[in-house]
Amino acid sequence: MNGQELNQIQKRALDNYSSSEPWPDDDNWHFHTNKILNQKVNELLIEYCTDEKIILNAGCGKTTYNTSAKIIYMDIVKEYIENFSNYIVGSVENIPLEDSSIDAIICVGSVLNYVDIQKTLSEFSRVLKDNGLLILEFERSNSAEFLFTAKYKKTIFQQEYCYNNQKHFLWMYDENFVEKLCDYYNLNCLYKYRFHVFSSLLYRLGIKEKRAAKYCLFDNILQPISYPFSHNTIMILKKLFLHKLEY
Ligand SMILES: C[S@@+](CC[C@H](N)C(=O)[O-])C[C@H]1O[C@@H](n2cnc3c(N)ncnc32)[C@H](O)[C@@H]1O
């Protein structure tokens, strides 16, 4: 991915999100996406996060979670976050926080699909404490939406979508590529949940997005066969504690 393409994607994301809500209110597919993400993230926060923990909500939009832990909200759009008490306006590719200062990072809602994945994962790994958690969700090139096309399972490519009645450009990633890159940055995948499994396949077969989206009801039972079809993955990763060599 070259610098020019990246700037275009970022500039477009900033323009689009500055003039709209983070989530559309008339789009069934993204309504389900948002619902699944909120449910999964809230479950995880209850399990892992206590009062004294510090969480970074990276690319948070206007979303907040039910937790007693301290949340730092970060987004490129100031208007989304300026009413929170702890906020940072900026790109997740360059996080103005100290090394090993954060207990958990939440990066969901396709934020990863708008950014330089390498810079972003490197920053997440840097600011996370050892054994810190990363909740990461993204859209996959392994989606049934691309079955029987050259894009299917491609490591990375740029895709145009109509979202919120705007033209968005997203980087689509192969799931194994993301996992390997995470591994490179000492982020070890503990758990994965794939969603929009049957819905993506139906969409590929020509069913309208609105109708197809309803079939995410079957995502739980379709987990064992989700790899070749699902559009989204949410991964829970842990930053490995590595012994530093002393000389
Ligand atoms: C679909 S919204 C999801 C918001 C939130 N994560 C959620 O799940 O509700 C995508 C968000 O990513 C933000 N975003 C896009 N590129 C970003 C970047 N480089 N750094 C930080 N945030 C970014 C947008 O401003 C927008 O708020």
Side-chain angles (χ1 to χ4, degrees):
M1 87 177 79
N2 67 46
Q4 209 183 356
E5 279 173 322
L6 203 67
N7 286 338
Q8 275 176 8
I9 289 196
Q10 284 195 332
K11 199 177 164 305
R12 173 74 68 150
L14 180 61
D15 289 349
N16 281 339
Y17 282 108
S18 298
S19 57
S20 71
E21 289 296 305
W23 292 99
D25 54 11
D26 57 348
D27 169 344
N28 205 20
W29 185 283
H30 292 98
F31 169 81
H32 285 291
T33 305
N34 193 10
K35 196 167 144 195
I36 293 166
L37 291 176
N38 276 321
Q39 187 197 328
K40 290 281 166 203
V41 174
N42 277 317
E43 276 170 18
L44 280 155
L45 292 183
I46 290 169
E47 199 175 328
Y48 290 106
C49 285
T50 46
D51 298 14
E52 70 282 3
K53 303 276 187 203
I54 304 176
I55 300 172
L56 175 68
N57 190 354
C60 57
K62 294 182 175 176
T63 300
T64 186
Y65 297 100
N66 200 3
T67 174
S68 55
K70 174 183 166 182
I71 303 187
I72 301 172
Y73 296 87
M74 181 169 192
D75 204 283
I76 42 170
V77 181
K78 185 176 176 214
E79 291 71 30
Y80 287 170
I81 53 178
E82 60 192 351
N83 292 327
F84 292 119
S85 43
N86 307 296
Y87 71 89
I88 300 170
V89 180
S91 173
V92 294
E93 295 160 350
N94 188 5
I95 304 174
L97 292 172
E98 303 267 306
D99 295 4
S100 307
S101 57
I102 298 291
D103 295 286
I105 298 176
I106 302 164
C107 182
V108 301
S110 305
V111 180
L112 194 69
N113 297 93
Y114 288 101
V115 297
D116 180 324
I117 186 172
Q118 224 172 327
K119 281 189 190 165
T120 302
L121 292 178
S122 158
E123 280 294 81
F124 286 169
S125 178
R126 181 185 66 76
V127 300
L128 267 181
K129 294 179 184 170
D130 288 336
N131 295 324
L133 275 197
L134 169 61
I135 306 174
L136 186 68
E137 180 268 348
F138 59 93
E139 298 182 37
R140 311 156 77 234
S141 67
N142 320 67
S143 169
E145 178 183 336
F146 306 116
L147 268 176
F148 312 117
T149 73
K151 292 175 175 177
Y152 186 62
K153 285 193 186 174
K154 227 179 149 183
T155 306
I156 180 166
F157 65 89
Q158 200 186 106
Q159 178 71 9
E160 182 183 323
Y161 280 109
C162 178
Y163 175 70
N164 243 339
N165 299 316
Q166 297 161 323
K167 201 194 277 186
H168 284 244
F169 293 101
L170 268 68
W171 291 110
M172 304 300 289
Y173 310 113
D174 166 56
E175 184 181 297
N176 288 335
F177 162 69
V178 176
E179 198 169 342
K180 280 183 189 150
L181 205 54
C182 286
D183 191 55
Y184 176 77
Y185 288 110
N186 299 326
L187 298 163
N188 180 35
C189 184
L190 306 176
Y191 167 83
K192 247 180 237 174
Y193 181 82
R194 301 193 187 98
F195 59 99
H196 285 312
V197 184
F198 196 35
S199 8
S200 295
L201 188 58
L202 290 176
Y203 180 66
R204 179 73 183 104
L205 296 173
I207 309 285
K208 291 244 174 345
E209 203 181 66
K210 243 184 179 171
R211 237 181 115 199
K214 293 183 186 157
Y215 289 84
C216 67
L217 280 173
F218 297 108
D219 284 341
N220 282 350
I221 54 165
L222 293 174
Q223 286 304 299
I225 55 146
S226 58
Y227 179 75
F229 306 118
S230 92
H231 191 82
N232 306 64
T233 304
I234 181 163
M235 286 181 180
I236 315 306
L237 304 117
K238 191 179 207 173
K239 181 174 166 188
L240 294 178
F241 172 73
L242 294 179
H243 285 284
K244 293 187 180 74
L245 290 176
E246 286 183 17
Y247 294 97

